[in-house]
Structure formats: structure tokens, C-alpha cells
Amino acid sequence: MSSTKRALIAVAVMVCILGVIAALYLYRWHRPLAGTSNGTAPSILAELPSDAPAIAYLDVAALRKLQNSPLSAVLGLTKNGPQTDREYADFVRDTGFDYTRDLDQAAVAFWPTSLAPAANAAGDDPNLAIADGRFDQGKIEAYATRAGGKSERRGGRTIYIVPGSPVVSFEFLSPTRMAIASGKKSADLLEISTEGQRDPAMQTRINRVAGAPIFAVVRTSNLPASFYADLAKTPELDHLVRSIQGLSLSGQPQGEQIHVALDAECDSMKNAFEMSTILDGFRLIGSMSLSDPKTRRQLQMTREQAAFLEALIKAAHVSHQDRWVRISLDLTPEMLGAKK
């Protein structure tokens, strides 16, 4: 065989090898990022309106069993949880309900119209929660009446409306299940139909985190305009943030730590790559800035607050694959203040 033929064969082999490598690379980066806690959506989510743009879920019964979980301790679900204040103690006495003991699970639907705390207090941001647990219906209804609440009959159902900021309405769906809504038209939220098919993309995001005892999913196309207001002076960042189509957050206890992951689904692989690069840059700059005493004074942060935020930034890991960007970190008991 001539040297020319041997060279051609060698080139052909190299081309084939490079082609296989390129194919494997493209396959690897064009696969969807694996879900952090894949699972079947809890049945309680079916009680929420299918068109809700944001939902959250908390499996309190599961967390209550994790005596060594710092998240359980922070939520006050263990014997070592925070001391009960007097106002809450009075509430427990009058209603017979203590969430640390009686709440098993809760699912919440949100319709954000503004991210300002004042708007939420005024009831501009409506939400609807479905809670499972052990309830003393008579005591709870009596407590609502003493607080100035009134009952209304709507289609054979009894709804209680309690004035306040915001207004709260509730009804008993069964002896062990309550629906609780807040907002200016909270009573109307209780009558929203749960029939209809959930958006497939939203359902897919839920399934990616449904195996975790605590998770939240947001369809970002419904975020209020105020969310983007501070980005107007940075067009590039504004473009990238607006490219995010959905967010998924999960919290999964692992021993004494909690693995937290936030996934952002972008509209293109290019935007996901740029988003991950910027986030990594922010993480590096933030860590350097917090180590400067001058920066801490400008932000009016205590040494402990700065140390916590710096530890949080250093623990965060940014990754991307195809159209997804993920920020993940392990929260330790020290970071959560559950242990010293």
C-alpha cells in the first residue's frame, strides 16, 4: 500500500473518530437536564386551579419524621424547634390547631401581580392553599366569628370570610382538608374550577421536582412587569431574564444537609449558556465584594450576615445543559442556624 493511501485511510479514520466525538457532544448537551427529584405529582395538587402560574408544595408529615433535618428544625417541626410566641400559643388554644403537630401537607397556588410586600399585604397578590391535617372545625369557625368573620352559603357550601390585610376566606372540603384563600376577592378564589388540563410544560416541570418534600414551580410568562423594572438599564441581562420560560425549585434533605436546586428553563441553548456564564461571574464578584469590610458597611450588614451570605455564594454551583441552567447548593445546619 502506498504512503498516499495509508495517509488517506488515516485521515478517514480520524474524521470518523471526530464525527463520533462531535455526535456524543451534541447528544450530551442537547438532552434535557435531568430533574432534581423526579416523581409523581401529589394528588393534592389536583385541588388547585389548573391555570395557576405558580404553585408550591410542602410535605410537612415527611419533614416532621426527619428529626435530624435542619429544615425540619428551622420550620419548628421538631422538639428542638424555635420557641412558640404567645400570640401563636393563644391561636393554638383557641383553634385547637398547631401546624407543627396537625398539618400534614399543603399545596399553594399564586397569582402574582406585584412583588412589593405592601401589595401582598393589601391583598393584591391572591393565593389559594389546600391543607390536609387534623382540624377542629367547630373551634376554627368560632375563632373566625370572634375575629369579625362571617359565613356565606354558596351553592350548598359554607364559606367563611375574615376581614384583615389581606382578607382571608376558607371552607372545609372534608373533616381533614381545608381550602384557604387570601386577597381582595378571596371568597371567589374558593369557587374557581379545578377542572381542565394543566399546561403540559407546567406539568413537566412539576414532575421534575415532585419527589421532593418541598418544591415550587413558576411559569415566568405570568410574572408582573415590576419584576423586570430594575433590569431596564442592562438590556443584555434584561433579555436573558426574559428568555426564562419557567423556574423549578426543590429542597431535599440529605442527612443533616438540605440539597437545594433552582432550575431555569430558557428559550434557547445560547441564552442558557450566557445565563450560566453571567451567574458564575456574579458568584465570583459577590464573594470578593463581601470579603471587603467597606462593602459590608455600605450594605449595612453585620459580620454574621456577611459570613452567611459569603458561605451561601461559595457553596452555590452553577451548571447548564441544553436550555436549562441550574443553581444548586447544600445548606448545612450552621448556615440555617439550626445548630451552633
Side-chain angles (χ1 to χ4, degrees):
M1 185 180 296
S2 67
S3 59
T4 301
K5 287 185 177 180
R6 287 197 297 271
L8 289 174
I9 291 173
V11 170
V13 171
M14 289 298 295
V15 169
C16 289
I17 292 174
L18 291 174
V20 171
I21 293 174
L24 290 174
Y25 175 83
L26 291 173
Y27 171 74
R28 165 70 175 81
W29 288 105
H30 282 279
R31 284 184 303 163
L33 189 65
T36 54
S37 302
N38 292 322
T40 302
S43 59
I44 193 174
L45 294 186
E47 296 285 351
L48 298 177
S50 59
D51 64 345
I55 66 166
Y57 173 77
L58 180 64
D59 188 341
V60 182
L63 292 172
R64 191 182 292 121
K65 296 176 183 178
L66 301 172
Q67 294 298 315
N68 293 325
S69 167
L71 178 59
S72 182
V74 168
L75 294 176
L77 302 176
T78 67
K79 294 180 181 179
N80 297 322
Q83 296 297 317
T84 302
D85 59 48
R86 181 168 182 176
E87 184 177 354
Y88 182 70
D90 292 341
F91 171 82
V92 173
R93 183 196 63 226
D94 293 340
T95 63
F97 177 80
D98 181 353
Y99 83 94
T100 67
R101 177 195 65 209
D102 300 316
L103 182 62
D104 288 337
Q105 63 175 341
V108 189
F110 302 91
W111 289 266
T113 59
S114 172
L115 300 182
N120 185 54
D124 292 334
D125 290 343
N127 60 75
L128 170 65
I130 307 297
D132 281 353
R134 287 155 295 284
F135 308 108
D136 188 322
Q137 184 170 345
K139 280 189 174 182
I140 292 175
E141 290 175 347
Y143 180 83
T145 301
R146 289 197 300 273
K150 62 179 182 178
S151 63
E152 290 185 4
R153 294 287 294 176
R154 297 192 179 189
R157 300 154 52 195
T158 301
I159 294 176
Y160 281 82
I161 304 173
V162 184
S165 297
V167 176
V168 174
S169 299
F170 68 88
E171 69 171 316
F172 287 90
L173 303 177
S174 76
T176 59
R177 175 167 289 184
M178 287 184 67
I180 308 161
S182 69
K184 293 180 178 178
K185 298 181 179 180
S186 57
D188 295 336
L189 282 180
L190 298 177
E191 297 189 285
I192 292 180
S193 173
T194 58
E195 297 180 358
Q197 190 72 25
R198 193 184 301 277
D199 174 47
M202 190 74 166
Q203 187 61 55
T204 297
R205 296 183 190 112
I206 292 172
N207 293 340
R208 287 167 57 84
V209 294
I214 179 170
F215 64 79
V217 177
V218 180
R219 186 172 66 246
T220 54
S221 59
N222 292 77
L223 287 177
S226 59
F227 179 81
Y228 304 99
D230 293 335
L231 302 174
K233 296 180 180 180
T234 53
E236 182 181 356
L237 185 58
D238 181 75
H239 167 72
L240 290 177
V241 173
R242 290 179 184 274
S243 76
I244 298 174
Q245 299 177 317
L247 295 170
S248 304
L249 174 71
S250 65
Q252 184 71 265
Q254 296 179 349
E256 289 197 347
Q257 297 183 340
I258 303 167
H259 183 70
V260 178
L262 174 64
D263 285 358
E265 183 181 352
C266 298
D267 58 8
S268 71
M269 183 177 176
K270 175 179 177 292
N271 285 333
F273 173 74
E274 292 181 3
M275 176 69 74
S276 66
T277 302
I278 288 178
L279 289 174
D280 250 336
F282 282 167
R283 189 172 65 87
L284 178 61
I285 294 172
S287 180
M288 294 173 60
S289 298
L290 288 172
S291 63
D292 185 354
K294 182 179 179 181
T295 302
R296 292 200 298 266
R297 287 195 299 270
Q298 291 176 340
L299 296 175
Q300 297 183 338
M301 299 176 66
T302 65
R303 181 178 299 178
E304 291 75 15
Q305 290 172 333
F308 167 77
L309 191 55
E310 188 174 5
L312 203 66
I313 292 174
K314 288 182 177 179
H317 174 69
V318 180
S319 59
H320 81 280
Q321 186 170 308
D322 195 50
R323 297 184 295 107
W324 280 263
V325 179
R326 174 174 296 167
I327 303 175
S328 57
L329 71 155
D330 292 320
L331 295 177
T332 65
E334 293 78 13
M335 293 168 69
L336 288 171
K339 291 183 179 181
K340 294 183 178 180

